[in-house]
Amino acid sequence: MVVRNAVVSNKKVIFKDYVSGFPKESDMVVIVDENLKLKVTGDSKDILVKNLYLPCDPYMRLLMTGRSSEIFGPYTPGAISYGFIQLQL
């Protein structure tokens, strides 16, 4: 189904500070942006993916502590967290 110029909401998970131990809900804040307008150009081949959940992989827990991995630097408190998804089309 193709929907052009849809209006949606978006959630962002922001870490308040570096985490020690297992991350808890109190370690983060969820910000909801309402009424975001999605605009797709006429011949775009881009796709938009909706995340149904936010996984917390072991490497992500390492980055939440302020340490780096071999590939990624640590998360920055107050900034949006990043991760990777794998699509099967």
Side-chain angles (χ1 to χ4, degrees):
M1 175 171 67
V2 176
V3 178
R4 297 192 184 277
N5 300 322
V7 177
V8 299
S9 65
N10 183 50
K11 292 182 183 177
K12 299 175 189 174
V13 177
I14 311 284
F15 286 94
K16 296 177 185 176
D17 203 349
Y18 290 115
V19 176
S20 62
F22 287 101
K24 302 177 291 303
E25 190 174 340
S26 60
D27 292 324
M28 57 195 87
V29 62
V30 177
I31 299 173
V32 179
D33 293 329
E34 300 286 342
N35 302 323
L36 295 174
K37 187 173 182 179
L38 302 178
K39 186 174 181 181
V40 180
T41 60
D43 60 347
S44 175
K45 295 189 187 323
D46 293 341
I47 63 171
L48 178 67
V49 177
K50 179 180 180 178
N51 287 342
L52 300 177
Y53 61 92
L54 177 67
C56 186
D57 299 324
Y59 89 91
M60 294 171 79
R61 288 188 45 219
L62 173 71
L63 304 180
M64 290 177 203
T65 64
R67 297 183 303 207
S68 297
S69 72
E70 293 179 11
I71 300 171
F72 302 103
Y75 288 144
T76 304
I80 298 171
S81 309
Y82 52 85
F84 296 96
I85 60 170
Q86 198 170 27
L87 296 177
Q88 291 183 336
L89 302 175

